[in-house]
Amino acid sequence: MTTPAITIDGLEKSYGRLPVLRGANALVGQGRITALVGPNGAGKSTLLKILLGLVRPDRGEVTVLGHRINGGHEYRARIGYMPQAARFPENLRGREVLGMLRALRRRPGQEDTSLIELLDLGAELDKPVRTLSGGNRQKLNAAIAFLFRPELLILDEPTAGLDPIASGILKAQVRAAQAAGTSVLIASHVMGELEELATEVVFLLDGTVRFEGGIESLKTLTGQTRLEAAVAQVMREHRS
């Protein structure tokens, strides 16, 4: 049996008296593209931060790429992360940001720089980050996520701010990475985009996983033909 890329078991997290995750359980399949969906406040951002080792859960266990997260950080070298809005040192040029990351990762000769060319970033890398447009910042964000050939990609609203051409290039890169064996977890509110890319879905509502499985299975279960309508129906059922 293939080891899941991510295993989430009984995950709980509260901020003060506010519970955010309430015993969440889920599996993210190895070599699959999985959509993480849910309304605002469902706990998606907190879950992603836990997976990245930025927040510690109050209870429960998380395993990423076969390694239980328990305060260690070595596993993060195997992850490519694309936040919704990346923050870079404003005084550095894009090329200097890449150089800094290369020095930290220390993996010469193992890089995938194809997105730099595909997204036409060459000239932009010689400009200070503070002068880049929002779209070009997002392109740099994407190039960094794929740069070190990660085994797991975690993408948070990856096409936000991208024009249609750049968005199509990024989605093609996601499919190519998955075809090469990379596991992908995408959090987004754009249901059409998720339906286009993903085959699996983890649906988080009020800090609990309400559905986990194939997107087509969720459609069949709800009698809907689109992911957006299926997710909306599950939300109505659990809140009625």
Side-chain angles (χ1 to χ4, degrees):
M1 182 176 178
T2 304
T3 302
I6 299 171
T7 302
I8 299 164
D9 184 14
L11 209 56
E12 297 184 14
K13 179 63 183 179
S14 296
Y15 295 107
R17 295 184 178 181
L18 177 65
V20 179
L21 294 174
R22 310 168 187 249
N25 300 285
L27 297 176
V28 173
Q30 184 77 28
R32 304 285 185 88
I33 301 178
T34 301
L36 176 62
V37 304
N40 293 331
K44 301 189 301 298
S45 295
T46 295
L47 177 57
L48 294 182
K49 289 176 182 177
I50 289 173
L51 293 177
L52 294 165
L54 302 176
V55 169
R56 288 198 178 192
D58 298 326
R59 294 181 185 81
E61 293 185 1
V62 179
T63 301
V64 176
L65 299 172
H67 294 271
R68 180 184 171 193
I69 297 177
N70 190 24
H73 60 83
E74 294 82 2
Y75 75 97
R76 286 185 287 186
R78 302 163 66 190
I79 296 175
Y81 175 49
M82 185 177 177
Q84 182 175 358
R87 291 179 173 85
F88 304 113
E90 296 289 303
N91 61 314
L92 295 184
R93 300 178 188 275
R95 204 173 300 282
E96 291 172 327
V97 172
L98 294 177
M100 179 180 65
L101 293 172
R102 287 180 174 118
L104 290 171
R105 287 293 185 101
R106 299 175 185 173
R107 297 183 67 186
Q110 300 183 41
E111 298 171 3
D112 177 4
T113 59
S114 57
L115 269 183
I116 294 175
E117 180 178 350
L118 291 170
L119 294 173
D120 198 22
L121 269 175
E124 299 301 316
L125 295 180
D126 293 317
K127 299 177 182 178
V129 169
R130 66 177 178 274
T131 68
L132 297 181
S133 67
N136 283 328
R137 281 175 179 252
Q138 191 71 339
K139 290 178 183 180
L140 179 59
N141 190 16
I144 289 170
F146 286 82
L147 185 61
F148 298 104
R149 302 184 185 275
E151 297 172 52
L152 171 65
L153 274 167
I154 297 178
L155 311 176
D156 189 2
E157 304 286 354
T159 61
L162 293 180
D163 61 54
I165 292 176
S167 177
I169 290 170
L170 177 57
K171 287 187 279 190
Q173 194 79 350
V174 170
R175 294 189 193 96
Q178 185 267 336
T182 300
S183 305
V184 184
L185 179 64
I186 306 178
S188 177
H189 287 101
V190 185
M191 294 296 108
E193 177 177 281
L194 293 177
E195 198 163 5
E196 182 182 350
L197 287 171
T199 57
E200 315 296 315
V201 60
V202 172
F203 177 35
L204 198 61
L205 181 64
D206 297 329
T208 302
V209 174
R210 304 293 184 176
F211 180 87
E212 172 198 355
I215 288 178
E216 294 304 318
S217 296
L218 178 59
K219 292 180 188 177
T220 300
L221 179 67
T222 57
Q224 302 293 334
T225 59
R226 295 181 299 114
L227 177 60
E228 184 176 35
V231 167
Q233 181 165 323
V234 175
M235 288 175 61
R236 285 192 295 267
E237 290 173 354
H238 283 280
R239 288 181 171 174
S240 60

